[in-house]
Amino acid sequence: MPILIDGHNLIGRLPMLSLQDPDDEEKLVRLLQPYRARTRKAITVVFDPGAPSALPKTRRLGGIAIVFAPSGSSADAVIVRRVKKARNPHDWLVITSDRELAEAVARQGA
């Protein structure tokens, strides 16, 4: 089951991370790496657009795909698009506490 994670949403929910930390995205991915190594699940973490000096738009770290939404878009929009394009959206698990996003991907079958 591929996993899509609403990155900044999850960071805001974890007590050991802070959205104010300039390294918050990388710290989240590093927290997820042991789970990825243990389960071998495909994990993609999607973040809202970063500052011009932020990490590249797409990269991999420890087997986890990291995606920054393009300027003018949002992580939510990227996640919804990916679920819509999925061959079997029922196989996808989306991690978010954003009710609107959760409802949007559920309507697509995730």
Side-chain angles (χ1 to χ4, degrees), residues 93-108:
L93 175 64
V94 176
I95 307 296
T96 186
S97 63
D98 179 324
R99 183 176 292 155
E100 286 182 37
L101 176 57
E103 290 172 358
V105 296
R107 284 192 298 273
Q108 300 301 319

Side-chain angles (χ1 to χ4, degrees), residues 6-50:
D6 184 355
H8 288 128
N9 178 271
L10 183 55
I11 288 169
R13 298 289 182 184
L14 295 174
M16 72 284 286
L17 296 178
S18 169
L19 290 167
Q20 306 308 314
D21 183 344
D23 298 322
D24 59 347
E25 293 96 350
E26 188 167 342
K27 287 178 180 178
L28 173 63
V29 173
R30 294 215 182 275
L31 281 174
L32 295 168
Q33 286 175 330
Y35 177 79
R36 163 67 174 92
R38 189 173 61 253
T39 66
R40 310 304 285 167
K41 291 182 183 265
I43 299 174
T44 301
V45 183
V46 184
F47 295 106
D48 290 311

Side-chain angles (χ1 to χ4, degrees), residues 47-49 57 67-74 78 81:
F47 295 106
D48 290 311
K57 296 285 183 228
V67 176
F68 281 88
S71 181
S73 187
S74 68
V78 170
R81 268 195 312 278

